[in-house]
Amino acid sequence: MPDTGIGMLAPLLGSDRVARTVDAVAWLTALIDVEVALSHAAAAHGLVDAAAVAHVERAAAALRADLDPAVLAGEAVEGGNPVIPLARRLRAAAGPGAPAVHPGATSQDVMDTALVLLVRTAADVIGDDLAACADAAAALAAAHRDTPAIARTLGQQALPTTFGLVAAGWCAGLDRARVQLGSVVAALPVQFGGSAGTLAASYPHGPAVADALADRLGLPRQDVPWHTERTRIGELAAALGVAAGACAKVATDVVLLSATEVGEVAEAAPGDSSSMPHKRNPIAAITARASARRAPGLVATLLAASDHEHQRAAGPWHAEWPALTDLLLATGGAAARLRVSLVGLGVHPGAMARNLALTSPDPAPSHAGDLVDRVLARRP
């Protein structure tokens, strides 16, 4: 369970804020939180002695304070996941409360539920940045509803548009991606099925314990255990990939419109060059594109890993952890850096008029302003 992020490049690529939500400490905390919640849920239905849960709580608090995640990561190698050594440590620390640790569960129950908790936290950060990007695009759309500009198709000048409509298109895509990601994340349920997904070890209270665990953690209740039914992970991967793509589209436009010979927009704090003092690089948009470029391959990895065999996967499940973590970092980085790019983006109507005059000196009327109004009125 190594720490996540990419070291000194994390702030540059915008992934540092999301990295803190999925790092080794966050993983350890989430795993322990699930184990404690499970002990409470099992006690509520008589599966374990309620008095023993206090011992589990104390043991969990001690491990949160003292256990080095790197130590647990090393111990995870033998069994293939960190829940096995964590449960062993919890039982040892709980003393007489040991029977109330990990009742009726399998390692995947704890791992998957902890992953859902981490995804929700990371998605909150990503959603905040996406919302800020969309708000900035909306402000640009409103301010430049009627600012004439040239539309470009296949890399060439096409017909007149307005910069407001360009920005409204950015806003619509970002809003759509944010809402879809939020919907997918909100639907991710608890995981609790026991060793073979039958809840046998919790009989006759298995479904009730699963529901109590979900309620205690603030997660949706499951219908059936989803140990090897991974459509939810595929939907999450797709939503994150789409969000990264929405950011990449806007960032690409900003990079192109910032070119010296175009000059229609400029970032508030452009980057410089180590050897060319005249350069004003749109570095936030550039690094947003860089982060977003990593997303498609990670989405493909997660979709390829959806073939979990039988009732517990030997490899595909394990492949999800780093791929999904990296995808959260990539999408989060794209949104964070695009936010920097769009907030305070400078718009140059004079340059737009100059470029427009190259092929369309007398723009004909269009519905550009009406379309801007429609986008802004229908924002979620």
mmCIF file of all heavy atoms in Angstrom, residues 3-13 15-16 19 329:
data_model
loop_
_atom_site.group_PDB
_atom_site.id
_atom_site.type_symbol
_atom_site.label_atom_id
_atom_site.label_comp_id
_atom_site.label_asym_id
_atom_site.label_seq_id
_atom_site.Cartn_x
_atom_site.Cartn_y
_atom_site.Cartn_z
ATOM 1 N N ASP A 3 2.511 4.965 -0.864
ATOM 2 C CA ASP A 3 1.887 6.273 -0.979
ATOM 3 C C ASP A 3 1.624 6.582 -2.445
ATOM 4 O O ASP A 3 2.348 6.137 -3.332
ATOM 5 C CB ASP A 3 2.814 7.337 -0.389
ATOM 6 C CG ASP A 3 2.039 8.506 0.180
ATOM 7 O OD1 ASP A 3 0.814 8.536 0.007
ATOM 8 O OD2 ASP A 3 2.672 9.373 0.812
ATOM 9 N N THR A 4 0.548 7.340 -2.709
ATOM 10 C CA THR A 4 0.201 7.661 -4.077
ATOM 11 C C THR A 4 0.765 9.011 -4.464
ATOM 12 O O THR A 4 1.391 9.700 -3.674
ATOM 13 C CB THR A 4 -1.327 7.706 -4.234
ATOM 14 O OG1 THR A 4 -1.848 8.677 -3.327
ATOM 15 C CG2 THR A 4 -1.957 6.364 -3.930
ATOM 16 N N GLY A 5 0.529 9.390 -5.690
ATOM 17 C CA GLY A 5 1.054 10.649 -6.192
ATOM 18 C C GLY A 5 2.317 10.408 -6.991
ATOM 19 O O GLY A 5 2.832 9.291 -7.094
ATOM 20 N N ILE A 6 2.848 11.449 -7.576
ATOM 21 C CA ILE A 6 4.036 11.320 -8.410
ATOM 22 C C ILE A 6 5.098 12.319 -7.964
ATOM 23 O O ILE A 6 5.728 12.994 -8.763
ATOM 24 C CB ILE A 6 3.680 11.504 -9.894
ATOM 25 C CG1 ILE A 6 2.733 12.691 -10.093
ATOM 26 C CG2 ILE A 6 3.079 10.243 -10.477
ATOM 27 C CD1 ILE A 6 2.354 12.925 -11.523
ATOM 28 N N GLY A 7 5.254 12.385 -6.644
ATOM 29 C CA GLY A 7 6.334 13.161 -6.065
ATOM 30 C C GLY A 7 6.288 14.623 -6.426
ATOM 31 O O GLY A 7 5.252 15.278 -6.349
ATOM 32 N N MET A 8 7.423 15.152 -6.854
ATOM 33 C CA MET A 8 7.533 16.573 -7.110
ATOM 34 C C MET A 8 6.693 17.025 -8.306
ATOM 35 O O MET A 8 6.457 18.221 -8.494
ATOM 36 C CB MET A 8 8.994 16.952 -7.337
ATOM 37 C CG MET A 8 9.614 16.362 -8.591
ATOM 38 S SD MET A 8 11.356 16.797 -8.778
ATOM 39 C CE MET A 8 11.248 18.573 -8.985
ATOM 40 N N LEU A 9 6.208 16.101 -9.114
ATOM 41 C CA LEU A 9 5.389 16.466 -10.261
ATOM 42 C C LEU A 9 3.909 16.619 -9.905
ATOM 43 O O LEU A 9 3.130 17.120 -10.718
ATOM 44 C CB LEU A 9 5.525 15.412 -11.363
ATOM 45 C CG LEU A 9 6.926 15.209 -11.943
ATOM 46 C CD1 LEU A 9 6.881 14.144 -13.025
ATOM 47 C CD2 LEU A 9 7.479 16.515 -12.496
ATOM 48 N N ALA A 10 3.509 16.176 -8.706
ATOM 49 C CA ALA A 10 2.088 16.204 -8.348
ATOM 50 C C ALA A 10 1.499 17.610 -8.386
ATOM 51 O O ALA A 10 0.438 17.818 -8.994
ATOM 52 C CB ALA A 10 1.869 15.555 -6.978
ATOM 53 N N PRO A 11 2.125 18.624 -7.784
ATOM 54 C CA PRO A 11 1.548 19.969 -7.885
ATOM 55 C C PRO A 11 1.530 20.487 -9.321
ATOM 56 O O PRO A 11 0.573 21.129 -9.756
ATOM 57 C CB PRO A 11 2.465 20.822 -6.999
ATOM 58 C CG PRO A 11 3.118 19.850 -6.073
ATOM 59 C CD PRO A 11 3.297 18.594 -6.877
ATOM 60 N N LEU A 12 2.574 20.198 -10.066
ATOM 61 C CA LEU A 12 2.657 20.636 -11.455
ATOM 62 C C LEU A 12 1.495 20.090 -12.276
ATOM 63 O O LEU A 12 0.887 20.803 -13.087
ATOM 64 C CB LEU A 12 3.988 20.186 -12.059
ATOM 65 C CG LEU A 12 4.143 20.312 -13.576
ATOM 66 C CD1 LEU A 12 4.104 21.770 -13.988
ATOM 67 C CD2 LEU A 12 5.440 19.654 -14.024
ATOM 68 N N LEU A 13 1.154 18.822 -12.055
ATOM 69 C CA LEU A 13 0.089 18.170 -12.810
ATOM 70 C C LEU A 13 -1.257 18.246 -12.106
ATOM 71 O O LEU A 13 -2.226 17.631 -12.540
ATOM 72 C CB LEU A 13 0.468 16.711 -13.088
ATOM 73 C CG LEU A 13 1.678 16.533 -13.999
ATOM 74 C CD1 LEU A 13 2.024 15.058 -14.144
ATOM 75 C CD2 LEU A 13 1.446 17.158 -15.377
ATOM 76 N N SER A 15 -2.349 17.074 -9.253
ATOM 77 C CA SER A 15 -2.893 15.906 -8.557
ATOM 78 C C SER A 15 -2.664 15.930 -7.054
ATOM 79 O O SER A 15 -3.072 14.989 -6.352
ATOM 80 C CB SER A 15 -2.276 14.624 -9.130
ATOM 81 O OG SER A 15 -0.872 14.609 -8.948
ATOM 82 N N ASP A 16 -2.031 16.973 -6.524
ATOM 83 C CA ASP A 16 -1.634 16.945 -5.116
ATOM 84 C C ASP A 16 -2.829 16.938 -4.170
ATOM 85 O O ASP A 16 -2.815 16.258 -3.141
ATOM 86 C CB ASP A 16 -0.689 18.106 -4.786
ATOM 87 C CG ASP A 16 -1.168 19.442 -5.318
ATOM 88 O OD1 ASP A 16 -1.841 19.476 -6.356
ATOM 89 O OD2 ASP A 16 -0.865 20.473 -4.692
ATOM 90 N N ALA A 19 -4.426 13.558 -4.320
ATOM 91 C CA ALA A 19 -3.498 12.558 -3.780
ATOM 92 C C ALA A 19 -3.658 12.389 -2.277
ATOM 93 O O ALA A 19 -3.535 11.284 -1.746
ATOM 94 C CB ALA A 19 -2.055 12.930 -4.122
ATOM 95 N N LEU A 329 -6.269 10.517 -9.790
ATOM 96 C CA LEU A 329 -5.224 11.536 -9.811
ATOM 97 C C LEU A 329 -5.182 12.255 -11.158
ATOM 98 O O LEU A 329 -5.026 13.482 -11.217
ATOM 99 C CB LEU A 329 -3.863 10.898 -9.525
ATOM 100 C CG LEU A 329 -3.660 10.317 -8.116
ATOM 101 C CD1 LEU A 329 -2.352 9.545 -8.057
ATOM 102 C CD2 LEU A 329 -3.670 11.416 -7.077
#
